[in-house]
Amino acid sequence: MNTKKRIGLWSPSYNEPTGQAIVTRRVVHHVFPGLGASREFVFPPKGSPRSIAIWLIVTLQLWADIARGRMHFLYLVCSRSNLGFIRDIPALLAAKVGLRVIVHVHGSDIVSLLACRRASPLARWFYRSCHIIVPSEHLRMPLAPYARSVQVCENFYAGSVGSIGEGSKVAPDVLTVLWNSNIIASKGFFEVFASVQDLRACHLPVNLVSLGALVADEELVSEALKQRFSDLGVPAWFDYRGPQSHARTVELLEQADVVCLPSRYNSECQPVAIIEAMCAGKAIVASEIPALRSTLADYPAEFVPVHSVDAISSALCALAREKARDPDGFDGARAQFAADARKRFAKARFDFEMKAVLAPTSVPDT
């Protein structure tokens, strides 16, 4: 009888250029190899007939391995939606038969799943037997009553960082604002656009470069989002690049002055856009929600209320004047904070902390 035990991964496909996928790839490729053999139970993220069929197959494979005693523990990259919770039940159920299940949560809306939805009583019953990993300290206390343990392991910066403190890499008389995220209404994209538009109307030299795909949310469904984006037109100061490779995203970040994310997104947790901006020493304008305050910590950012175009405009105007006074020193003013951020979000630090969370459950193959 084959009794070799393996680490199990339950996750949607992690080939996409999302923050969750980037972190999952890191765990699979750099953390798992030091802990033992692994087996993936991976399925497409969308609910098509094909993805449902694949989900059924991996569910059967998972439980066949559990029944044969072939699993050390299960690492679950969870969904926080109601349908996603149902999708994860086969993996969550493993904790009820004694398998150690470690759930990596990548969004703040896990709190609402466990606390205030119709499905919450059932979700609490499942999660009470699991261990949870979150990337942000602001989630530790809200989740503590709902799991066996809650541990914080902050995310990492996936790219390389160019030179810090050598002045802006764009024209010294223009402030370049980068939207380094998908275009989602509740992340504050349209407020940023309106702020730059107002500043341009006042003859201030501010440009907006935007990346990412148009993604619907609870505020704007797909067709409404496309229409609102189309209505913006193509002013000369707005440069929309669409989805980009991560390498190209880093290049555009290095050419920018400011990253702006006045988000009210209900699952905002520790956004890659902000981590990358911190590590590159960029000026940052962010909303004052707990997730972003926790992520930015001591980094010198400008915090604004959600929905406030005026506050964003005021913050960007002050940054434009700061750059105009000393273009060469604009980036350098944040150089030490950037160095601290690169240590805080280092890949090696992430690998070490993840292994510390997972290693106590791992034993050599038998």
Side-chain angles (χ1 to χ4, degrees):
M1 178 178 175
N2 184 359
T3 59
K4 179 179 287 188
K5 294 188 176 182
R6 295 170 287 198
I7 303 164
L9 167 70
W10 177 273
S11 172
S13 173
Y14 51 89
N15 295 321
E16 295 78 17
T18 63
Q20 176 174 297
I22 290 169
V23 173
T24 304
R25 285 197 295 272
R26 185 78 195 178
V27 172
V28 172
H29 297 152
H30 295 271
V31 178
F32 279 3
L35 301 178
S38 62
R39 182 172 185 183
E40 297 187 4
F41 306 96
V42 174
F43 39 83
K46 303 297 183 183
S48 66
R50 176 178 176 274
S51 67
I52 293 171
I54 294 173
W55 174 82
L56 288 171
I57 291 169
V58 300
T59 294
L60 293 173
Q61 292 172 338
L62 169 65
W63 276 93
D65 273 7
I66 293 172
R68 295 169 184 168
R70 293 180 175 177
M71 200 73 63
H72 287 331
F73 65 88
L74 184 63
Y75 174 77
L76 192 169
V77 181
C78 74
S79 170
R80 290 93 53 199
S81 70
N82 292 335
L83 288 176
F85 162 63
I86 294 171
R87 182 201 70 189
D88 289 337
I89 283 178
L92 293 166
L93 186 60
K96 295 299 184 180
V97 299
L99 186 68
R100 183 177 175 92
V101 176
I102 304 168
V103 183
H104 205 154
V105 176
H106 292 277
S108 297
D109 48 347
I110 185 66
V111 177
S112 69
L113 172 63
L114 294 172
C116 57
R117 301 185 200 169
R118 292 180 66 182
S120 293
L122 182 61
R124 288 195 294 269
W125 185 79
F126 278 109
Y127 273 84
R128 195 172 291 119
S129 303
C130 300
H131 303 267
I132 292 179
I133 302 171
V134 292
S136 178
E137 184 64 39
H138 85 283
L139 289 175
R140 187 198 295 268
M141 292 302 293
L143 292 177
Y146 305 126
R148 293 186 65 180
S149 69
V150 181
Q151 300 189 59
V152 177
C153 181
E154 292 194 303
N155 291 331
F156 58 90
Y157 177 53
S160 60
V161 181
S163 299
I164 302 296
E166 296 183 354
S168 177
K169 297 175 178 61
V170 295
D173 57 345
V174 176
L175 185 79
T176 299
V177 178
L178 178 67
W179 179 265
N180 186 17
S181 183
N182 284 326
I183 295 176
I184 301 175
S186 58
K187 280 184 175 281
F189 171 79
F190 293 104
E191 286 82 2
V192 173
F193 185 97
S195 297
V196 175
Q197 188 174 47
D198 288 349
L199 295 176
R200 294 294 305 201
C202 295
H203 307 291
L204 286 175
V206 182
N207 291 339
L208 175 60
V209 177
S210 176
L211 312 181
L214 274 66
V215 177
D217 65 357
E218 68 279 2
E219 292 189 14
L220 286 178
V221 298
S222 182
E223 289 306 314
L225 175 65
K226 291 176 183 177
Q227 185 60 56
R228 185 168 180 184
F229 185 78
S230 177
D231 290 344
L232 299 178
V234 285
W237 48 265
F238 178 49
D239 183 5
Y240 175 54
R241 304 293 185 94
Q244 299 289 323
S245 69
H246 186 258
R248 182 57 179 153
T249 296
V250 172
E251 291 178 7
L252 292 168
L253 173 63
E254 292 174 345
Q255 296 167 12
D257 297 306
V258 186
V259 168
C260 203
L261 191 71
S263 178
R264 54 191 177 271
Y265 190 48
N266 64 5
S267 67
E268 202 70 84
C269 193
Q270 197 176 63
V272 171
I274 295 298
I275 291 175
E276 292 182 341
M278 294 167 68
C279 291
K282 300 302 177 181
I284 297 173
V285 177
S287 58
E288 53 191 10
I289 63 174
L292 295 185
R293 282 199 174 274
S294 179
T295 300
L296 283 154
D298 296 330
Y299 193 91
E302 300 294 329
F303 289 100
V304 298
V306 296
H307 293 291
S308 179
V309 173
D310 288 345
I312 299 168
S313 298
S314 179
L316 292 178
C317 182
L319 290 169
R321 289 170 178 166
E322 179 187 336
K323 181 180 176 180
R325 286 193 300 268
D326 183 10
D328 293 333
F330 186 78
D331 286 346
R334 301 165 186 85
Q336 184 56 55
F337 292 100
D340 294 342
R342 292 195 294 275
K343 292 178 183 177
R344 176 184 170 192
F345 297 111
K347 296 174 186 175
R349 187 274 315 158
F350 174 84
D351 294 348
F352 178 83
E353 292 185 2
M354 283 298 299
K355 287 176 182 177
V357 173
L358 301 178
T361 72
S362 302
V363 296
D365 288 344
T366 59

